[in-house]
Amino acid sequence: MANSNWQCDQDGRLELTSQEEKIATLVARGYSNRKIAELIGVSQKTVSKSLRTSYSKLNINNRTELMLVKLGETSSLLEWRYYSSLVNLDFASPRYKKATRNKQKCLRIALEINHLKYKCRFNLVSLKSEWLGELDKLMETIIKELGE
């Protein structure tokens, strides 16, 4: 269940709390819920609840996808998630519509940032004018998404 108070981070993902971040990191390292609960001093139920909230915030479904996100292999996952979120909202509740649209906005921003990271990683943009053009495109996307 989405919460309208959740905020996007600089990569377009919804921010995790410090506890959710700790748990997600331990999941990415391969720890079980029981071991995570022991390590951070909470119940297994708290770990499970935290993971469900993290999945919702990151728009993912399971531990494997969480590991991919934590390892930084997000571009194809983000694209898949974005296109799979394009559903007919005509009969959805207003709350669900708003949450879905917010997630879509965050995903579109994240996709733009990941495309720029890809271009940077593989030196596909080299001239200052090209960089400025890419950054302008990114800013246009962010302004458009936040303005809707």
Side-chain angles (χ1 to χ4, degrees):
M1 178 183 343
N3 180 329
S4 61
N5 294 328
W6 291 343
Q7 299 293 317
C8 292
D9 68 9
Q10 66 186 14
D11 291 328
R13 291 184 303 234
L14 292 168
E15 291 181 348
L16 301 180
T17 63
S18 60
Q19 180 170 304
E20 290 164 350
E21 189 63 44
K22 277 185 216 169
I23 291 171
T25 301
L26 292 169
V27 165
R29 292 180 182 165
Y31 289 99
S32 68
N33 286 8
R34 185 172 55 91
K35 186 64 177 173
I36 293 169
E38 286 175 25
L39 288 170
I40 64 173
V42 297
S43 70
Q44 286 185 50
K45 197 172 189 174
T46 300
V47 171
S48 294
K49 183 178 182 218
S50 236
L51 283 173
R52 283 192 306 275
T53 303
S54 297
Y55 296 164
S56 182
K57 285 181 176 181
L58 298 172
N59 198 25
I60 59 176
N61 294 314
N62 55 47
R63 294 172 91 86
T64 302
E65 290 180 1
L66 181 60
M67 288 173 134
L68 290 173
V69 168
K70 292 302 290 176
L71 294 173
E73 301 172 11
T74 57
S75 189
S76 59
L77 178 63
L78 284 170
E79 288 176 11
W80 181 82
R81 281 282 163 215
Y82 172 69
Y83 291 113
S84 69
S85 75
L86 298 177
V87 295
N88 184 348
L89 297 174
D90 291 342
F91 302 106
S93 71
R95 185 175 179 186
Y96 181 78
K97 284 181 188 178
K98 183 178 181 181
T100 301
R101 287 190 180 119
N102 284 340
K103 281 185 180 181
Q104 289 171 344
K105 286 179 184 183
C106 289
L107 286 168
R108 284 191 293 266
I109 292 169
L111 282 170
E112 285 298 319
I113 291 169
N114 272 315
H115 289 154
L116 187 55
K117 284 169 126 178
Y118 175 84
K119 288 177 181 180
C120 178
R121 179 181 292 160
F122 295 104
N123 296 321
L124 299 176
V125 180
S126 56
L127 300 175
K128 182 179 178 181
S129 60
E130 290 174 334
W131 275 110
L132 291 174
E134 291 295 327
L135 291 172
D136 284 342
K137 227 167 64 174
L138 178 59
M139 288 304 297
E140 285 174 21
T141 300
I142 292 170
I143 289 167
K144 177 185 168 215
E145 296 303 332
L146 296 178
E148 291 180 353

